[in-house]
C-alpha cells in the first residue's frame, strides 16, 4: 500500500520521491472532508462583519447546467449550495433535475423552477445547524444571460421571498442577488507590463459597465499563462444596502475560501461549488457526451417527489446524491 501511494504522488523523474505540492493538495481535500477548516480569512475592516464570529449571513451559490446539444432530451441539472459556518467552509446542498419538453421550447431555460422548495430546505438546514435562521442571504447566481435578467431574476426572487414567508410570516431576511457571468469577451491588460493584471483588480468604469444596472469586472485569480478573463458581476437586487466597495471586497474575499487550493479562484467559492455539484449531478443522471454515456448510463438516480410549475410545462425533480 505504501509503494502504491508513492507511485501516485511521486514525481515523473523519481517515483520514490514525494511530490509535496500534490500531497498538500490531497491533504486539503481530506481535511475538508473530515470537517476541518483549511484557512480562515483576515479581511479588511470594511467587510469584517461578514466573516466575524456568529454572523448570520448565508452565502448561496446557484447554477443550472444543461445537457449537450447532442442530448436535448436529457434533463438539466440544478445545483444550489448554502454556507453553514462563519468562514465559510461547510455547505449544505440541493440538487434537482429539470425536464423541458419540446412544447416549452420558447420558455426560459435558465429559470430554476423549484427555487422556493430549494431555499426552504437550505434555510431549514442552516437553522437546525446553528439554532437560528440567517438574517441576511447573499446569492451568487451563475448561468443567466443578460437577455434573461428580468424574467429569471424576478421569478427566482419571488420564489425566495415566498419560501421565507412559508417558513414564518414574520421572517424577512435581507437579500442580495448577484449574477456571475464568465462568458464574455472582455479582457484587461496592464499599460506598462506584458503580464496579466494582478489578482484583485476591479474595473467598474462607466465606459464599459452597464448604464442602467450596477455591475463590475473582477479579476480575482492569478494567471500565469495566457490571458486572464475577468468575471463580470451584476448586482440585480440588494436589500443589505451594500456599498460598491463592500460588494467588491466581499466577492473577492469569497474567492479565497475555496477548499481545494490556497490561492484565490476565478469566481466566489459558493458558486464554484455549485458548478462542481451541477457537473457531478450531470454525470450522475447520465447527461454526458455520446462518448461518455456508455460508461455511466447504467448508474441509477433517485428522484424524490416531482413538482410541476403551474405557469409553464417545465417539471422538476429532487435528486439524492
Amino acid at each position: 500500500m505504501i509503494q502504491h501511494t508513492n507511485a501516485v504522488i511521486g514525481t515523473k523523474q523519481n517515483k520514490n520521491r514525494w511530490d509535496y505540492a500534490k500531497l498538500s493538495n490531497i491533504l486539503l481535500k481530506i481535511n475538508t472532508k473530515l470537517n476541518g477548516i483549511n484557512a480562515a480569512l483576515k479581511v479588511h475592516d470594511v467587510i469584517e462583519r461578514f466573516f466575524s464570529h456568529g454572523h448570520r449571513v448565508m452565502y448561496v451559490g446557484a447554477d443550472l447546467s444543461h445537457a449537450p446539444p447532442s442530448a436535448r432530451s436529457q434533463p438539466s441539472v440544478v445545483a444550489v449550495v448554502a454556507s453553514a459556518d462563519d468562514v465559510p467552509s461547510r455547505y449544505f446542498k440541493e440538487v434537482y433535475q429539470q425536464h423541458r419538453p419540446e412544447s416549452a421550447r420558447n420558455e426560459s431555460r435558465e429559470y430554476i423552477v423549484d427555487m422556493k422548495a430549494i431555499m426552504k430546505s437550505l434555510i431549514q438546514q442552516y437553522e437546525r445547524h446553528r439554532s437560528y435562521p440567517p438574517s441576511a442571504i447573499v446569492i451568487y447566481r451563475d448561468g443567466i444571460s443578460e437577455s434573461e435578467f428580468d424574467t429569471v431574476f424576478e421569478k427566482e426572487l419571488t420564489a425566495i421571498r415566498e419560501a421565507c414567508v412559508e417558513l414564518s410570516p414574520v421572517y424577512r431576511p435581507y437579500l442580495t442577488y448577484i449574477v456571475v457571468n464568465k462568458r464574455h469577451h472582455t479582457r484587461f491588460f496592464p499599460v506598462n507590463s506584458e503580464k496579466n493584471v494582478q489578482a484583485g483588480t476591479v474595473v467598474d468604469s462607466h465606459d464599459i459597465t452597464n448604464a442602467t444596472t450596477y455591475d463590475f469586472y473582477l479579476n480575482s485569480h492569478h494567471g500565469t499563462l495566457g490571458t486572464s478573463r475577468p468575471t463580470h458581476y451584476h448586482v440585480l437586487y440588494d436589500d443589505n444596502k451594500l456599498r460598491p466597495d463592500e460588494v467588491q471586497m466581499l466577492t473577492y474575499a469569497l474567492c479565497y475560501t475555496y477548499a481545494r487550493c490556497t490561492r484565490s479562484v476565478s469566481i466566489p467559492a459558493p458558486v464554484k461549488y455549485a458548478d462542481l455539484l451541477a457537473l457531478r449531478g450531470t454525470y450522475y443522471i447520465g447527461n454526458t457526451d455520446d462518448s461518455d454515456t456508455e460508461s455511466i448510463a447504467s448508474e441509477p438516480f433517485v428522484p424524490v417527489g416531482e413538482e410541476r410549475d403551474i405557469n409553464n410545462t417545465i417539471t422538476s425533480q429532487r435528486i439524492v446524491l
Side-chain angles (χ1 to χ4, degrees):
M1 179 63 70
I2 295 177
Q3 292 179 351
H4 174 71
T5 305
N6 286 341
V8 172
I9 62 176
T11 62
K12 292 183 178 179
Q13 292 79 9
N14 186 355
K15 292 186 178 181
N16 294 321
R17 182 179 178 182
W18 293 100
D19 187 344
Y20 288 102
K22 188 175 295 184
L23 180 61
S24 298
N25 187 267
I26 294 174
L27 291 177
L28 285 174
K29 299 177 183 178
I30 293 175
N31 184 54
T32 303
K33 291 182 181 295
L34 295 176
N35 293 331
I37 298 175
N38 292 337
L41 294 180
K42 183 179 181 180
V43 298
H44 194 277
D45 295 341
V46 173
I47 57 172
E48 186 176 6
R49 64 189 177 98
F50 293 100
F51 297 95
S52 60
H53 178 70
H55 72 75
R56 300 176 61 172
V57 181
M58 186 172 77
Y59 301 104
V60 176
D63 187 29
L64 179 56
S65 176
H66 300 294
S70 59
R72 288 183 176 274
S73 61
Q74 297 288 347
S76 301
V77 177
V78 175
V80 184
V81 303
S83 62
D85 55 3
D86 295 333
V87 175
S89 65
R90 309 298 302 173
Y91 286 82
F92 307 116
K93 73 178 190 308
E94 287 291 335
V95 187
Y96 279 66
Q97 60 175 336
Q98 289 187 181
H99 297 267
R100 182 173 179 268
E102 291 296 325
S103 59
R105 184 181 297 274
N106 295 328
E107 298 175 11
S108 173
R109 299 185 64 194
E110 300 300 337
Y111 168 43
I112 298 179
V113 173
D114 243 359
M115 180 61 90
K116 181 169 70 173
I118 290 173
M119 290 304 299
K120 280 183 64 176
S121 174
L122 293 174
I123 294 172
Q124 288 172 333
Q125 292 180 69
Y126 183 100
E127 185 175 11
R128 286 195 297 267
H129 180 71
R130 307 193 64 169
S131 302
Y132 50 78
S135 59
I137 302 175
V138 179
I139 303 165
Y140 287 92
R141 176 68 160 88
D142 189 16
I144 304 179
S145 61
E146 292 189 30
S147 61
E148 294 187 308
F149 276 0
D150 293 337
T151 55
V152 174
F153 157 68
E154 290 178 2
K155 290 180 180 179
E156 292 184 356
L157 184 65
T158 301
I160 295 170
R161 285 299 188 195
E162 291 176 353
C164 296
V165 171
E166 288 189 9
L167 290 172
S168 173
V170 297
Y171 181 48
R172 297 287 193 279
Y174 298 109
L175 299 178
T176 298
Y177 189 102
I178 304 172
V179 174
V180 181
N181 185 3
K182 299 171 292 184
R183 299 175 182 86
H184 58 81
H185 302 288
T186 303
R187 303 291 185 273
F188 300 120
F189 304 92
V191 177
N192 300 319
S193 174
E194 295 181 356
K195 299 181 180 179
N196 280 311
V197 294
Q198 294 183 354
T201 300
V202 175
V203 179
D204 56 2
S205 169
H206 294 296
D207 296 332
I208 63 171
T209 55
N210 196 300
T212 58
T213 62
Y214 172 58
D215 63 316
F216 63 93
Y217 291 87
L218 170 62
N219 188 82
S220 58
H221 61 293
H222 174 70
T224 55
L225 297 174
T227 303
S228 296
R229 177 168 55 186
T231 304
H232 194 187
Y233 297 91
H234 296 262
V235 183
L236 299 186
Y237 187 82
D238 184 23
D239 256 353
N240 292 288
K241 298 184 184 320
L242 302 178
R243 300 190 306 271
D245 58 338
E246 289 181 314
V247 175
Q248 295 165 5
M249 295 182 70
L250 173 62
T251 301
Y252 184 44
L254 288 173
C255 294
Y256 276 94
T257 61
Y258 186 55
R260 290 188 176 186
C261 64
T262 56
R263 291 187 175 186
S264 57
V265 291
S266 60
I267 56 178
V271 76
K272 183 72 172 178
Y273 290 134
D275 284 347
L276 294 174
L277 185 59
L279 179 62
R280 177 61 61 186
T282 299
Y283 279 98
Y284 191 66
I285 65 175
N287 281 5
T288 58
D289 294 329
D290 296 338
S291 58
D292 296 331
T293 51
E294 294 182 357
S295 61
I296 66 168
S298 60
E299 294 185 10
F301 65 90
V302 188
V304 180
E306 179 176 344
E307 294 194 12
R308 182 179 295 268
D309 186 6
I310 60 175
N311 297 320
N312 55 37
T313 56
I314 301 177
T315 59
S316 178
Q317 288 180 316
R318 186 170 183 265
I319 303 174
V320 177
L321 295 181

